[in-house]
Amino acid sequence: MKGKKFVWMLLSILIISSFALAACGGEATPTETTTTGGGETLAVGIVLPTKDEPRWIQDETRFKEALQNEGYSVEILFSQGDSAKEKQNVETLISKGIKVLIICPHDSTAAAASAEAARAAGVKVISYDRLITDTAAVDYYVTFDSVSVGKAQGQYLVDHATGTGNPLYLYAGAASDNNAFLFFEGAWSVLQPKIVDGTFVIKNSSEAVALQDKPTLTREEMGRIIGQITTNWDFNVAKNLAESNLTAATAADKGDVFILAPNDGTARAIADTFAADTDVTSYVITGQDAEIASVQYIIDGKQSMTVLKDVRVLVADAIKAAVTFLEGGTPEATTTYNNGVIDVPAKPSEVISVDQTNLIAAIIDSGYYTADQFTGLENLK
Ligand code: BGC
């Protein structure tokens, strides 16, 4: 690996856990720090959105694994779902002399100020998983193909529906996350023709019903739908919304239902809520992230599918891009994503649709997780 030429990369990694004061209120929030032991100038700073969702703990773990193998000098900070804390984290890293910032924004637009502060300090900005929007200060975007994630979710529902009049419940991510729009765009592209032909009937969004004849939606139109069906990426919001949707629905709106859930955390919350409704006979529900708890839900038949986004690939791409910038190069891009101001060079990675039929091959045989992390795997054979 070329990056090993750097002196800062030769030092072994010392993991230090520390606590930092939150931006407001003086409340202590955990800040995980990975740094070199030798007082070298910090080369790369990583900022992740929250420790409260297994997805981002997964990224932290995979970053640490990759960094341990490569001997990088890096610090990882968490923003705890707070844009002010995120900005403070970025400023801390800038003051420590980072040359490259890898940042997954809590809020795509609010993070523009952090990206601009980094750019002003001569730091290269890599947007990680979520795109930072409304600024020219983004140098590169490392991501999965998020439209494909939504398509995989929509296709799963289509593939498992027969006949017509199937009740469809739609849920989305946080409107502050650009990805939520990409996921919904992908899902809509697959579901909309099947709504028009009568296979599905939308039960929980009047805005979606009003727009159901449109094969493609503007961002503003998607925004109107997402406004009604957002989970805000929060399990409790997802649960409460599903409960109020089911309370408003009649028994005829239930039966064998189909549920577009945007990710695994919200899928488990929504699935549990639907499972508890005696008028729901069966449900097919999507997910995303292959979180351990959801892989177990799939084995147990409580969640239908997930979309595996192999975080090892994303982490490797991010590190490769960072090293390329440190060496004065330009990371490989296969496409661009418009962030409202510029077209950001990007390299999206593939995703895999996983259900009971391919779980062992995709999750266990691939080495993503080990069999001992689950129970009941033998029932899938
Ligand atoms: C990520 C998903 C994640 C969601 C909630 C999205 O931006 O792409 O993997 O589940 O945020 O954190």
Side-chain angles (χ1 to χ4, degrees):
M1 176 102 203
K2 280 191 277 174
K4 281 201 169 136
K5 283 184 292 187
F6 291 87
V7 173
W8 57 266
M9 290 177 188
L10 299 176
L11 298 167
S12 64
I13 289 174
L14 180 70
I15 309 294
I16 301 168
S17 290
S18 61
F19 287 83
L21 287 181
C24 48
E27 183 193 326
T29 54
T31 303
E32 197 78 14
T33 305
T34 305
T35 186
T36 64
E40 280 293 303
T41 305
L42 191 66
V44 180
I46 300 173
V47 178
L48 295 174
T50 179
K51 273 180 176 277
D52 295 341
E53 294 173 35
R55 161 69 215 267
W56 307 111
I57 300 288
Q58 177 75 226
D59 292 69
E60 181 196 32
T61 306
R62 302 297 190 181
F63 262 117
K64 283 182 179 171
E65 279 169 11
L67 297 167
Q68 217 131 22
N69 294 338
E70 301 296 339
Y72 290 92
S73 163
V74 167
E75 189 165 326
I76 303 174
L77 301 175
F78 281 87
S79 310
Q80 293 312 105
D82 177 350
S83 294
K85 171 89 182 144
E86 180 178 85
K87 180 96 190 308
Q88 190 190 42
N89 282 340
V90 170
E91 277 159 6
T92 300
L93 293 168
I94 293 171
S95 73
K96 290 186 178 184
I98 57 163
K99 298 284 175 282
V100 178
L101 172 68
I102 297 172
I103 174 170
C104 180
H106 162 59
D107 178 309
S108 299
T109 309
S114 295
E116 280 158 18
R119 165 80 53 95
V123 173
K124 292 286 185 190
V125 177
I126 299 174
S127 205
Y128 179 83
D129 194 280
R130 297 176 179 169
L131 186 59
I132 299 173
T133 57
D134 302 293
T135 176
V138 185
D139 295 288
Y140 191 65
Y141 181 31
V142 181
T143 184
F144 293 103
D145 183 343
S146 294
V147 173
S148 288
V149 172
K151 282 186 181 166
Q153 295 171 333
Q155 193 60 48
Y156 196 86
L157 299 181
V158 169
D159 290 345
H160 290 80
T162 52
T164 56
N166 295 290
L168 177 64
Y169 291 79
L170 302 171
Y171 297 94
S176 58
D177 176 2
N178 188 59
N179 283 347
F181 288 81
L182 301 178
F183 301 143
F184 191 78
E185 177 189 329
W188 186 260
S189 71
V190 175
L191 292 172
Q192 187 271 344
K194 293 293 179 181
I195 295 164
V196 168
D197 78 5
T199 304
F200 293 119
V201 181
I202 302 166
K203 295 294 180 186
N204 68 330
S205 168
S206 57
E207 294 286 0
V209 170
L211 291 161
Q212 68 184 18
D213 290 331
K214 293 197 71 179
T216 53
L217 301 174
T218 64
R219 195 176 171 96
E220 191 272 324
E221 288 167 338
M222 280 192 277
R224 271 191 258 154
I225 300 173
I226 291 173
Q228 287 186 324
I229 61 168
T230 185
T231 60
N232 211 22
W233 294 135
D234 182 308
F235 321 143
N236 290 318
V237 174
K239 179 176 180 285
N240 291 338
L241 181 60
E243 274 170 5
S244 67
N245 290 161
L246 287 170
T247 303
T250 64
D253 294 328
K254 301 179 188 176
D256 297 315
V257 306
F258 292 78
I259 309 164
L260 176 74
N263 76 347
D264 282 349
T266 58
R268 294 193 301 278
I270 295 166
D272 290 348
T273 306
F274 274 76
D277 189 311
T278 49
D279 290 326
V280 173
T281 320
S282 74
Y283 61 86
V284 177
I285 187 166
T286 62
Q288 151 176 213
D289 291 333
E291 287 183 3
I292 291 172
S294 277
V295 173
Q296 187 62 57
Y297 258 49
I298 293 172
I299 297 168
D300 296 342
K302 297 199 295 192
Q303 182 176 324
S304 313
M305 64 87 77
T306 188
V307 180
L308 170 62
K309 308 199 301 188
D310 190 329
V311 172
R312 295 171 300 185
V313 174
L314 204 64
V315 161
D317 284 348
I319 292 173
K320 200 168 152 199
V323 170
T324 304
F325 278 133
L326 287 166
E327 291 179 336
T330 307
E332 179 202 354
T334 53
T335 188
T336 59
Y337 284 74
N338 189 278
N339 79 342
V341 175
I342 55 163
D343 289 327
V344 184
K347 183 174 169 288
S349 322
E350 298 292 304
V351 299
I352 304 171
S353 190
V354 177
D355 70 359
Q356 284 191 348
T357 64
N358 68 340
L359 188 147
I360 290 176
I363 302 283
I364 308 296
D365 296 348
S366 69
Y368 201 63
Y369 297 130
T370 52
D372 60 6
Q373 292 174 280
F374 306 100
T375 56
L377 274 175
E378 63 283 359
N379 300 330
L380 303 186
K381 290 187 178 140

